[in-house]
């Protein structure tokens, strides 16, 4: 009886429909990141170079401040190995919201390095993420979130 | 206590009305003849001032709502249109935004008055509790209202505060999604905040009615904290307190006018003159000044859930004050020890407010403000849960006067007027 | 053993790297306090200098509007009281000089045979046109940085008119030793971080004032900041005038009520 009055506040079907996005990956070069707007947040889609993937793999999970994968496609307890951070290692898809207070971290490139780990630096309070988007230094408590996504084809991804 | 009504209808119409809906009788009994202690000072005028503030907010708010558009793509522009194009729109907007600050200034003075003079003590516990409810409703109303202009602070303040709900284990994210109506603060959130912002002030008005009704049962407390013992202790509300309230209200309105006309953005944050951008976070997210002490408490605890509990607990604590204070004496005028703790409490609140206004890693003279906030927050809790119960038991109060009349009129009762 | 050497080498490299990066951060690049420039509209009786407003509009139009929009300003604001107070004819002419996409014609067309959008002349009701159609175009034309809209820039920045004035006149200073100006940016110590994306917009004689005022950088900056302050607060003069009346009334009322208060309470003490 009271449920309709409560449920009306939950996201509407229009909102839920807008809550999935299909992204074309074909234009993204290795080493490049494109930022999409997804569910009101920035979505980082980064095409990683082999060096970036290797650097991420070289880090022992036990040394990470947040050892959990933070991946909505996996169980909560999955560890933060690089394999658990991306379905295909070349494509890193992350919610671009710093897990500290919600700022947008800046991506690190060879021309303009940001932070010490080759990933992202959040300019708000200094959180630094590595090439798998995992928190390494600074006040952020968790790795950057990996959203629900799946590959529709080699160059097309459905997020949400 | 007011005793039986002495209202006498003067005309046929008044007799007719009195027999059907006795509003004039109600006005007469509550605002004309109501016996009020004769020693109320300036700090007792803020109840009337608060009623004025509520009326100003409702009137200017309804007018603004005639022009405002609650849509994420149009809200910011609609406010600018009010400021630039609507006739006297700038006046309505500045009265409403500065009115909110004046409203909270008055409510804090009103609450501190209650603490100092022991107005929360029996038999006025319920007036105090209803007052805490009004305060909570005011904070919710102000929070919703600040989001409406859809500036950077509006959006990001809403994001930070609604994200706090995700700290609740298991159901937190679901509650946050339900509040947002989306996966983040957005248009759905703005629309419902507008609806609630319009609704709550009328709920506040009804609860204020209960607050005043509950007050009129025992009658006002007074600065001496002693009960009314005889009619000599009181004067009729009109003309004594109607004129006194009107005078002090005018002084308050002068202060209000100084802000509206000469410093209309003094209380505001420049970032809110930038349209909300979900992809750009401002370097420092701060709420309006009246919420800063609680913001400081929230940020001083490293754990998100504990921070929420400490902040919420600080407000819930207020409900228990009538039972935490063990003193038999109401007014701090006669409580030399409590008086000092009271002023330290006031300092702690101001310190918390200052900490809340600065960035998380700020330090003053080498002292990180987060530690100042922790100590001040600790004192806040200690003041209610430790100091109030203990000081009431160990303190030796000063000797109370025999009556209000004796204290006010003294031995000069009957002497020539000054 | 090899593992230990590797990690020692890595940590040494890290230490050197950190040292190198911290030396760049050792300089405190907090922005300087804004210059203490006075403006005619400050204070309880301040008003906008008409000449400065009109010259400031000229600076905006000839220099700033190439990159910066001012969406909340409309051409009808230019002839209203409390602003630059151009004549009605001047305001209409300024509006007509701007072109806007035309409404669909009788055939429902919005483009001509060659696909070029049909345009119409501006009217007093139109808002100032933006130099770019959207944020992406603005960023593409400005090295990735977005030139902010100027309608409310004076209210949207901590430090207000003094801050904007300091930015405009703060270029060209000697770059301190140890500070590296980022590629594509410009040194301005009044901007947080000292690297600003905007190239110095003003020089002596950038505009040629029609009223003959000498167009130094300071003069141009002062005039355009006056104009931008009006753009942020077009109702300032009306507000202060109204405020004076309200204050006078309230002070009188307070006096009357005080007398009544004293009279009522005379015998109660």
């Amino acid at each position: 009886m009271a449920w309709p009055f409560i449920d009306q506040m939950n996201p509407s079907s229009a909102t839920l429909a807008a809550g999935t996005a299909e992204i074309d990956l074909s234009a993204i070069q290795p080493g490049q990141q494109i930022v999409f707007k997804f569910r009101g947040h920035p979505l980082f889609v980064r095409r990683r170079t082999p060096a970036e993937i290797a650097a991420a793999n070289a880090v022992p999970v036990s040394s990470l401040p947040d050892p959990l994968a933070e991946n909505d496609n996996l169980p909560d307890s999955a560890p933060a190995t690089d394999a658990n951070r991306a379905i295909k290692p070349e494509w890193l898809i992350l919610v671009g919201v710093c897990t500290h207070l919600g700022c947008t971290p800046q991506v690190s490139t060879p021309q303009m390095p940001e932070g010490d780990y080759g990933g992202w630096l959040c300019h708000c309070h200094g959180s630094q993420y590595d090439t798998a988007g995992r928190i390494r230094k600074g006040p952020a408590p968790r790795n950057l979130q990996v959203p629900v996504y799946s590959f529709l084809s080699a160059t097309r991804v459905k997020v949400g | 206590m007011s005793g039986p009504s002495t209202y006498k209808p003067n005309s046929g119409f008044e007799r007719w009305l009195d027999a059907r809906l006795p509003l004039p009788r109600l006005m007469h009994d509550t605002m004309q003849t109501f016996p009020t202690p004769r020693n109320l000072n300036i700090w007792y005028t803020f109840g009337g001032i608060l009623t004025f503030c509520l009326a100003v907010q409702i009137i200017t708010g309804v007018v603004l709502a005639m022009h405002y558009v609650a849509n994420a793509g149009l809200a910011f522009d609609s406010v600018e249109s009010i400021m630039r194009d609507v006739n006297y729109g700038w006046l309505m907007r500045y009265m409403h935004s500065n009115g909110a600050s004046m409203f909270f200034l008055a409510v804090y003075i009103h609450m501190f008055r209650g603490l100092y003079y022991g107005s929360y003590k029996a038999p006025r516990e319920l007036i105090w509790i209803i007052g805490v409810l009004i305060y909570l409703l005011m904070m919710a109303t102000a929070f919703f209202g600040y989001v409406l202009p859809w500036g950077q602070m509006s959006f990001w303040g809403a994001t930070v505060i609604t994200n706090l709900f995700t700290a609740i284990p298991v159901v937190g994210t679901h509650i946050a999604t339900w509040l947002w109506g989306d996966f983040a603060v957005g248009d759905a959130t703005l629309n419902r905040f507008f609806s609630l912002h319009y609704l709550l002030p009328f709920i506040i008005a009804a609860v204020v009615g209960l607050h005043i009704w509950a007050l009129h049962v025992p009658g006002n407390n007074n600065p001496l904290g002693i009960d009314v013992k005889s009619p000599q202790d009181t004067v009729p509300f009109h003309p004594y307190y109607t004129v006194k309230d009107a005078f002090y209200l005018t002084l308050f309105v002068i202060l209000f006018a100084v802000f509206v006309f000469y410093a209309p953005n003094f209380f505001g944050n420049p970032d809110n003159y930038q349209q909300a951008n979900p992809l750009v976070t401002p370097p420092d997210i701060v709420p309006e000044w009246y919420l800063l002490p609680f913001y400081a408490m929230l940020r001083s605890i490293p754990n998100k859930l504990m921070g929420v509990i400490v902040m919420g607990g600080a407000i819930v604590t207020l409900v228990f004050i009538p039972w935490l204070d063990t003193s038999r004496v109401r007014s701090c005028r006669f409580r030399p020890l409590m008086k000092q703790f009271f002023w330290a409490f006031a300092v702690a609140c101001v310190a918390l407010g200052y900490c809340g206004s600065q960035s998380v890693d700020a330090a003053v003279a080498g002292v990180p403000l987060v530690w100042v906030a922790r100590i001040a927050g600790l004192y806040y809790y200690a003041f209610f849960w430790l100091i109030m119960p203990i000081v009431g038991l160990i303190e030796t109060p000063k000797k109370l006067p025999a009556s209000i009349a004796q204290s006010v009129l003294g031995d000069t009762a009957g002497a020539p007027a000054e | 053993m090899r593992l230990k050497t590797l990690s020692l080498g890595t940590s040494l490299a890290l230490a050197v790297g950190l040292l190198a990066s911290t030396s760049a951060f050792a300089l405190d690049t907090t922005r300087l306090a804004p210059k203490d420039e006075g403006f005619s509209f400050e204070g309880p009786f301040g008003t906008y200098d008409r000449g400065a407003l009109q010259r400031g509009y000229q600076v905006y139009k000839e220099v700033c509007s190439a990159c910066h929009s001012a969406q909340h300003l409309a051409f009808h604001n230019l002839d209203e009281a409390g602003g630059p107070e151009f004549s009605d004819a001047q305001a209409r002419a300024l509006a007509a000089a701007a072109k806007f996409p035309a409404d669909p014609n009788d055939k429902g067309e919005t483009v001509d045979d060659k696909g070029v959008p049909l345009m119409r002349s501006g009217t007093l009701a139109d808002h100032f046109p933006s130099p770019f159609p959207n944020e992406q175009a603005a960023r593409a034309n400005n090295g990735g940085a977005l030139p902010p809209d100027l309608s409310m820039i004076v209210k949207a920045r901590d430090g207000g008119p003094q801050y904007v004035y300091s930015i405009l006149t703060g270029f060209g200073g000697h770059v301190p030793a140890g500070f590296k100006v980022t590629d594509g940016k410009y040194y301005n110590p009044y901007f947080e971080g000292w690297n600003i994306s905007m190239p110095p917009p003003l020089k002596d004689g950038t505009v040629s004032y029609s009223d003959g005022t000498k167009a130094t950088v300071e003069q141009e900056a002062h005039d355009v900041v006056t104009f931008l302050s009006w753009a942020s607060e077009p109702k300032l003069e009306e507000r202060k005038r109204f405020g004076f009346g309200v204050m006078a009334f309230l002070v009188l009322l307070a006096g009357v009520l005080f007398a009544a208060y004293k009279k009522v309470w005379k015998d109660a003490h």
Side-chain angles (χ1 to χ4, degrees), chain C residues 100-113 115-119:
Chain C
F100 295 87
D103 291 332
N105 63 16
D106 293 337
K107 299 204 204 80
E109 295 160 344
T110 52
V111 295
D112 67 13
D113 307 324
V116 174
L118 296 166
M119 304 299 268

Side-chain angles (χ1 to χ4, degrees), chain A residues 16-62:
Chain A
L16 291 171
T20 64
E22 284 187 19
I23 296 178
D24 181 7
L25 305 172
S26 51
I28 308 177
Q29 301 302 314
Q32 190 189 19
Q33 169 189 279
I34 308 265
V35 182
F36 295 90
K37 203 161 154 200
F38 172 68
R39 290 183 180 177
H41 291 312
L43 186 76
F44 294 159
V45 178
R46 187 161 170 187
R47 187 170 179 181
R48 298 195 292 176
T49 61
E52 288 169 348
I53 301 170
N57 272 310
V59 181
V61 173
S62 51

